[in-house]
Amino acid sequence: MMKSLLYKLKSLYYAGAAMKDMKKYALEMQLGHSKIIGWDGGHPVNSLLFPPEYSQPMIRSRARFYNSLRFGNPSPVVANIAVTARCRCSCPHCSSAGQDATDMPAKKWRDIIRQCQELGVFTIVITGGEPLERPDLEQIISAVDQSISLPVLFTCGMGLADRLEGLLASGLKRIYVSLDYADSTGHNGHRGVDGLFEQAVNGLKAARAMGM
């Protein structure tokens, strides 16, 4: 009985130390740093693509990372889903240019998100085209079970400020906004849309003010 109790206590101690080392290794391997860039629900955040420390998705991801190292059983960690090929920009680097612009229904995307989460994905990146072109984008985001995965939006920022309230209500907290140049002339010219730089910056400022 005493030996069993001592073993359990030792296990907790060694597991805690091992998890601390694994956290540092995983962060530095993936990010090149372990610094804190923000906070989410009282938990520290090291990257917009990683769930907050000590959150349920992060605990699950650590367990999968450990199992992949120990048993050689890799599993997907991040899924990028392009929910539309539509966009009003004309960027020369666009990966959606020339693709079928017919959108798949939100119901199908919700099922895809469910399958991604069953595979163990802890971050679901929603991209396009331009995701904000979808009026039902909030429905897609709200399908993410945030006890398992983190939704992240990639956008050019066109019309972002007007959608923030609904996006926040759907559960979105993290947004990547494309800025190709540090000035409006270069950025707007590259993307072929007048005023886009200003929209993107204003959208970022508004998102920040709302706590995103």
Side-chain angles (χ1 to χ4, degrees):
M1 180 72 176
M2 184 60 68
K3 286 184 177 179
S4 176
L5 179 60
L6 287 172
Y7 171 75
K8 289 179 180 178
L9 291 173
K10 285 182 178 179
S11 295
L12 287 173
Y13 173 78
Y14 288 125
M19 286 297 287
K20 183 178 180 181
D21 289 342
M22 187 170 69
K23 166 195 166 183
K24 184 174 184 295
Y25 172 70
L27 288 172
E28 291 184 349
M29 181 179 71
Q30 296 289 332
L31 305 175
H33 70 82
S34 57
K35 66 183 178 183
I36 296 172
I37 64 169
W39 298 86
D40 184 355
H43 301 303
V45 175
N46 302 100
S47 166
L48 292 183
L49 286 175
F50 278 60
E53 283 298 308
Y54 314 116
S55 66
Q56 194 62 36
M58 180 56 82
I59 292 170
R60 290 172 181 266
S61 71
R62 292 273 160 73
R64 287 194 295 273
F65 182 73
Y66 172 77
N67 287 332
S68 69
L69 291 177
R70 182 178 180 186
F71 303 112
N73 183 28
S75 62
V77 294
V78 176
N80 289 274
I81 59 173
V83 297
T84 184
R86 290 183 290 141
C87 184
R88 283 176 274 178
C89 299
S90 55
C91 310
H93 62 267
C94 182
S95 60
S96 295
Q99 294 187 19
D100 182 3
T102 303
D103 289 345
M104 196 160 63
K107 181 180 179 179
K108 288 190 176 181
W109 281 116
R110 290 197 294 269
D111 184 56
I112 288 169
I113 288 170
R114 177 189 59 79
Q115 293 180 56
C116 289
Q117 295 194 288
E118 288 177 353
L119 286 171
V121 167
F122 63 71
T123 299
I124 296 177
V125 177
I126 300 171
T127 182
E130 173 47 56
L132 292 176
E133 289 290 313
R134 291 194 65 126
D136 58 355
L137 178 61
E138 291 81 359
Q139 294 180 35
I140 297 172
I141 295 169
S142 64
V144 179
D145 181 347
Q146 294 198 38
S147 69
I148 301 173
S149 309
L150 178 78
V152 179
L153 179 67
F154 274 48
T155 174
C156 72
M158 186 182 296
L160 175 60
D162 296 331
R163 297 285 292 275
L164 285 173
E165 187 174 342
L167 293 171
L168 186 61
S170 72
L172 185 71
K173 296 180 181 178
R174 304 185 185 199
I175 304 174
Y176 280 83
V177 178
S178 299
L179 290 171
D180 303 321
Y181 289 81
D183 63 274
S184 60
T185 301
H187 181 75
N188 295 342
H190 182 72
R191 296 209 162 228
V193 178
D194 290 337
L196 183 57
F197 182 86
E198 292 76 12
Q199 286 195 59
V201 171
N202 289 338
L204 279 169
K205 290 179 178 178
R208 183 77 170 178
M210 293 177 70
M212 288 187 172

